[in-house]
Amino acid sequence: MKLAFELETYKSEVKPTWCPGCGDFAVLNALQHALTELQLEPWNVLLVSGIGCSSNLPQFLSTYGFHAIHGRAVAVAEGAKLANPDLHVIVTGGDGDGYGIGVGHFIHAMRRNLDLTYIVMNNEIYGLTTGQASPTSEMGMKTKSTPIAGVIENPIDPIALALSSGATYVARAFSGDVKQMSELVAKGIEHHGFSLIDALSPCVTYNKINTYEFFRKRVYDLNKEGHDAGDLKAAFLKALEWPVVQRDRIPLGLFYRNDKVPTYEDLEPAYKKGNPVKQPLGVADADEILKEFL
């Protein structure tokens, strides 16, 4: 008999401690709805996070979870997925964690096309540490760490970076539209390969520029305007629209999807015998080996 899972199934007894109005509430809501839509067995879902306000998210879901150290969420998720490829492994974190200290792991996971889903709650600020500039903060933005001249570095463009690194599912969502975000997350989890959902998630306490109002005036659904998500060149052009080319229009939706690229797991010879955690240990007497360590 196949079990049916309600939305409540995925909700943890632990309640979020985010600031009232934080965009991360919408991301949590969208992820819960996506898991419900997909009817994933909670015991076969692993949430992995790094450090930051957003990285507390695995505590608020009734699945398995792992709170890793700063910038190492993708590396931990890779290890879990490779050890047990039957798991649905979802990584959650912020722009500082994923696009800053963790950017090396981020790039290499995409070029390997590991079957992971990465949801980055991008608020363009370090919120947990009370408002320093992050890798996606705009040039000129004054923060606690850039109080005089503002940010003097170009911001990272997560969408263009993902496309150039080999990600096979690249999307952008906004916390002001939970329905679209939930659909993009669900399709990302279903996708066989690396999927990135860059979630614009306003920090209502420390970022007074990139607010809900800021985004609502500018966002539009690129797929409703006829964008072909199978066209990599078109995806690059859309990726460069914001913030590189102009400030007035921010595309949301699915930039790119390619289902024909094999994943790392598809190519790895070690999997020819099946899931590693379901294989025999390969030792004649495990008790004798354990005695050496007792």
Side-chain angles (χ1 to χ4, degrees), residues 37-250:
E37 179 188 334
L38 297 173
Q39 287 290 290
L40 299 185
E41 297 167 333
W43 52 89
N44 280 323
V45 177
L46 172 66
L47 270 289
V48 182
S49 67
I51 297 296
C53 296
S54 53
S55 289
N56 290 328
L57 190 143
Q59 302 173 48
F60 314 135
L61 279 165
S62 188
T63 65
Y64 284 104
F66 192 98
H67 201 162
I69 60 175
H70 207 355
R72 299 296 180 267
V74 172
V76 172
E78 283 188 50
K81 184 66 180 181
L82 293 175
N84 186 359
D86 291 341
L87 283 176
H88 298 280
V89 182
I90 302 166
V91 192
T92 61
D95 44 295
D97 189 73
Y99 302 151
I101 189 171
V103 71
H105 299 294
F106 176 52
I107 291 171
H108 290 291
M110 289 188 287
R111 77 177 177 85
R112 293 169 184 145
N113 196 31
L114 281 147
D115 189 13
L116 299 173
T117 300
Y118 194 11
I119 305 171
V120 180
M121 285 157 266
N122 184 358
N123 56 22
E124 304 178 75
I125 199 81
Y126 277 99
L128 185 66
T129 49
T130 72
Q132 295 80 20
S134 87
T136 53
S137 296
E138 300 174 14
M139 283 192 76
M141 182 177 178
K142 292 189 176 181
T143 70
K144 282 189 176 179
S145 58
T146 57
I148 300 175
V151 176
I152 58 173
E153 300 165 305
N154 281 313
I156 278 182
D157 182 340
I159 302 298
L161 179 62
L163 293 171
S164 61
S165 298
T168 49
Y169 180 101
V170 182
R172 179 189 282 142
F174 167 48
S175 288
D177 188 344
V178 175
K179 183 176 183 295
Q180 185 194 37
M181 182 183 290
S182 178
E183 292 171 354
L184 291 170
V185 170
K187 289 176 182 174
I189 295 172
E190 281 187 314
H191 175 67
H192 185 58
F194 193 98
S195 55
L196 169 72
I197 297 93
D198 182 58
L200 300 176
S201 177
C203 173
V204 296
T205 303
Y206 295 109
N207 188 340
K208 302 300 183 184
I209 296 175
N210 306 114
T211 62
Y212 284 98
E213 183 181 16
F214 171 89
F215 288 117
R216 285 196 174 105
K217 287 180 178 176
R218 293 168 172 80
V219 295
Y220 74 95
D221 188 332
L222 64 89
N223 302 118
K224 288 183 178 177
E225 293 200 358
H227 171 66
D228 178 6
D231 186 336
L232 181 59
K233 182 179 178 181
F236 267 111
L237 291 174
K238 284 295 177 185
L240 295 177
E241 274 191 9
W242 180 78
V244 178
V245 177
Q246 44 79 32
R247 295 281 302 148
D248 296 332
R249 298 194 82 212
I250 302 173

